[in-house]
């Protein structure tokens, strides 16, 4: 994509290809590290929550606020601040978001009250919403088609999956050695500072704006919420997030009382889940290269539903294996749905569209675990929350299968790809 950097630097394209390619590589690498960094904290809550319940004498629904606060911040930021990526530009939206995130993480060192934790988590979530939507819009600037966009989004989620392994593993080791889980946030803040310094010095590509499309303002968000393509992919993502959040929010609580021969798998269930989800990147990439994306998503969602059904029927003895195993099939679903949802719009809209999808993502990440926590509290066992998650997984499979059978999204994606080809031509 040398022409992108040509526009930003105001230099001729001739003789600059090597430097531009190097710049693009640095921008992508920083984006990957950014997703790895914040995944360490957002996906470690399931390991922290049992400790929070014990320390502050909370119910499951109350302790779940440790997760809801972050997701609420991301959701509101995505909806109200997502357009900043289209207004301020990708680079400075990323830098501002990272600075706010680092400050919130560092503040964990000086507070020790549950309410203050929730406030800091909300602020960190709002910061994530700013830099994540800008990063998603940036990926649109660096790609030429929905297929290429999907490939890079899957790579981004691969790094996110690595961060999701590091976070729970680090918290587990901290707790086993009598240290505070707060050190996780100190570590994340340290990485964040490095990212801020690097991002401020790297040349980012100029945002692409189609001549026929005006820059999106917040007042344009409401009409976009009526778009069938956007609503359909947002609904699919909400179903997926509902099932996935059951794993990394409530699985450690569900397996905490397990006393069988597979005790190792119960203790490290969450890190194992994230390791398998990361390994699923290779499985998903291989499937994507051989099968249509709608077939891959239908197949993977079917296997996820089977894992959940087996877990609720077989109880803890089966769940200790099947629930972590579901990570192997989850890895490809979110980045593909996110990419296809965004790719149905012009690049000048990607920041705002990414923010709207992020809003629905986090809305589900708040509502679904809260509902599971309430159900679990009512019946006195975390396993009952997984009945709710199983319903989400089954509906997701049916919806993705119908999308494949009726080619519901293909026309929209093809139209946008054709328009982009004409503009670049």
């Amino acid at each position: 994509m040398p022409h992108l950097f040509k526009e930003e630097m105001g230099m001729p394209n001739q003789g600059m290809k090597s430097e531009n390619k190097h710049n693009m590589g640095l921008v992508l690498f920083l984006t990957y590290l950014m997703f790895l960094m914040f995944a360490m904290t957002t996906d470690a809550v399931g390991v922290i929550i049992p400790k929070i319940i014990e320390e502050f004498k909370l119910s499951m629904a109350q302790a779940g606020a440790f997760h809801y606060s972050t997701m609420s911040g991301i959701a509101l930021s995505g909806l109200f601040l997502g357009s900043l990526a289209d207004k301020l530009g990708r680079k400075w939206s990323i830098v501002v978001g990272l600075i706010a995130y680092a400050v919130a993480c560092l503040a964990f060192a000086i507070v020790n009250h549950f309410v203050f934790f929730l406030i800091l988590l909300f602020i960190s979530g709002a910061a994530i919403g700013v830099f994540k939507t800008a990063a998603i819009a940036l990926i649109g600037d660096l790609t030429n088609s929905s297929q290429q966009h999907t490939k890079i989004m899957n790579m981004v989620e691969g790094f996110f999956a690595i961060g999701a392994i590091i976070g729970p593993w680090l918290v587990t080791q901290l707790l086993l050695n009598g240290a505070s889980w707060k050190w996780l946030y100190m570590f994340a803040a340290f990485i964040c500072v490095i990212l801020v310094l690097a991002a401020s010095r790297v040349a980012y590509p100029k945002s692409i704006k189609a001549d026929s499309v005006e820059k999106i303002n917040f007042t344009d968000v409401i009409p976009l919420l009526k778009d069938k393509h956007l609503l359909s992919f947002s609904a699919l993502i909400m179903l997926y997030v509902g099932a996935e959040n059951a794993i990394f929010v409530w699985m450690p609580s569900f397996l905490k009382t397990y006393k069988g021969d597979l005790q190792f798998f119960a203790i490290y269930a969450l890190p194992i889940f994230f390791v398998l989800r990361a390994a699923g990147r290779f499985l998903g990439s291989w499937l994507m290269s051989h099968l249509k994306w709608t077939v891959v998503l239908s197949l993977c969602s079917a296997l996820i539903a089977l894992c959940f059904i087996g877990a609720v029927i077989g109880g803890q003895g089966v769940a200790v294996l099947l629930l972590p195993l579901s990570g192997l099939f989850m890895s490809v679903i979110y980045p593909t749905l996110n990419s296809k949802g965004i790719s149905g719009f012009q690049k000048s809209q990607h920041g705002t569209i990414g923010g709207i999808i992020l809003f629905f993502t986090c809305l589900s990440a708040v509502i679904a675990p809260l509902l599971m926590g309430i159900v679990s509290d009512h019946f006195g066992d975390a396993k009952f929350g997984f009945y709710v998650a199983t319903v989400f997984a089954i509906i997701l499979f049916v919806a993705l299968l119908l999308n494949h059978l009726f080619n519901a999204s293909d026309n929209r994606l093809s139209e946008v790809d054709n328009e982009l080809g004409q503009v670049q031509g």
Side-chain angles (χ1 to χ4, degrees):
M1 301 287 291
H3 63 285
L4 294 178
F5 298 96
K6 171 185 160 186
E7 291 179 14
E8 181 185 59
M9 296 183 224
M11 297 179 179
N13 191 48
Q14 190 68 27
M16 293 296 295
K17 290 184 178 180
S18 178
E19 181 179 347
N20 293 340
K21 184 177 180 181
H22 176 66
N23 253 356
M24 187 175 74
L26 285 175
V27 170
L28 281 175
F29 183 66
L30 289 175
T31 302
Y32 297 154
L33 287 182
M34 186 165 50
F35 276 73
L36 181 151
M37 177 271 301
F38 82 84
M40 292 193 308
T41 58
T42 58
D43 284 24
V45 293
V47 186
I48 298 173
I49 283 176
K51 186 68 175 179
I52 293 294
I53 291 176
E54 178 184 337
E55 184 176 351
F56 294 98
K57 312 300 180 185
L58 304 172
S59 68
M60 290 182 65
Q62 290 171 331
F66 204 86
H67 171 70
Y68 317 145
S69 295
T70 305
M71 294 300 113
S72 297
I74 298 175
L76 294 175
S77 178
L79 185 62
F80 290 102
L81 302 177
S83 59
L84 287 178
D86 298 324
K87 294 178 180 178
L88 299 181
R90 319 313 193 199
K91 176 175 180 174
W92 294 112
S93 294
I94 288 173
V95 170
V96 169
L98 286 174
I99 290 173
Y101 182 79
V103 171
C105 286
L106 288 172
F108 272 91
I110 59 175
V111 301
N112 195 35
H113 191 283
F114 186 64
V115 173
F116 289 132
F117 289 158
L118 300 185
I119 293 172
L120 291 177
L121 289 168
F122 180 84
I123 294 172
S124 69
I128 290 171
V130 171
F131 69 69
K132 184 176 180 181
T133 51
I136 291 172
L138 173 65
I139 291 170
D141 294 341
L142 297 172
T143 55
N144 291 318
S145 66
S146 64
Q147 183 178 4
Q148 188 182 14
H149 191 279
T150 300
K151 182 178 180 180
I152 293 183
M153 285 296 291
N154 272 275
M155 180 65 73
V156 165
E157 289 299 319
F159 277 82
F160 184 93
I162 294 173
I165 295 169
I166 296 172
W169 176 83
L170 181 57
V171 173
T172 300
Q173 296 306 309
L174 288 170
L175 296 178
L176 287 176
N177 288 280
S180 173
W181 50 266
K182 292 182 180 182
W183 283 106
L184 171 69
Y185 291 88
M186 302 304 103
F187 184 48
F190 172 74
I191 297 176
C192 198
V193 170
I194 294 175
L195 287 172
V196 169
L197 294 175
S200 63
R201 296 177 62 86
V202 174
Y204 276 58
K206 182 178 179 180
S207 302
I208 294 177
K209 301 178 181 66
D211 293 336
S212 60
V213 181
E214 296 180 357
K215 185 185 289 187
I216 292 294
N217 296 310
F218 176 71
T219 54
D220 297 312
V221 168
I222 301 303
L224 285 171
L225 292 175
K226 300 177 183 178
D227 187 277
K228 291 182 180 179
H229 179 87
L230 177 60
L231 289 178
S232 297
F233 278 91
S234 295
L236 290 171
I237 285 175
M238 288 184 74
L239 288 168
Y240 167 77
V241 169
E244 183 196 51
N245 274 242
I247 299 291
F248 73 81
V249 177
W250 294 126
M251 181 174 65
S253 298
F254 176 31
L255 299 177
K256 186 177 181 180
T257 58
Y258 176 77
K259 301 297 182 184
D261 296 331
L262 302 174
Q263 194 67 35
F264 172 85
F265 291 95
I267 294 174
Y268 292 98
L270 196 55
I272 291 172
F273 166 79
F274 286 125
V275 167
L276 290 176
R277 196 176 70 170
R281 302 259 32 86
F282 300 100
L283 173 64
S285 297
W286 182 84
L287 288 173
M288 283 289 195
S289 65
H290 290 81
L291 299 171
K292 186 178 178 181
W293 69 271
T294 55
V295 174
V296 175
L297 264 57
S298 298
L299 175 62
C300 288
S301 62
L303 293 171
I304 292 169
L306 289 174
C307 286
F308 275 72
I309 292 170
V312 297
I313 292 176
Q316 286 182 324
V318 177
V320 74
L321 296 176
L322 286 185
L323 290 181
L325 178 64
S326 67
L328 188 62
F329 315 117
M330 285 188 180
S331 59
V332 73
I333 293 182
Y334 181 78
T336 302
L337 289 177
N338 196 19
S339 171
K340 299 303 181 185
I342 294 172
S343 296
F345 296 86
Q346 296 292 334
K347 290 189 177 185
S348 59
Q349 299 173 298
H350 281 192
T352 301
I353 298 302
I356 294 173
I357 291 179
L358 185 59
F359 168 77
F360 284 110
T361 298
C362 297
L363 182 64
S364 178
V366 172
I367 294 175
L370 177 61
L371 177 60
M372 294 172 208
I374 292 172
V375 171
S376 298
D377 283 337
H378 179 75
F379 290 100
D381 196 317
K383 72 178 181 182
F384 291 99
F386 278 88
Y387 288 116
V388 178
T390 301
V391 173
F392 292 151
I394 293 172
I395 297 175
L396 175 65
F397 161 65
V398 173
L400 288 172
L401 181 62
L402 291 175
N403 179 59
H404 167 68
L405 294 175
F406 294 100
N407 296 316
S409 57
D410 284 354
N411 290 338
R412 175 67 168 265
L413 294 171
S414 297
E415 288 175 5
V416 175
D417 276 352
N418 290 336
E419 290 175 8
L420 178 59
Q422 293 172 2
V423 170
Q424 292 181 338

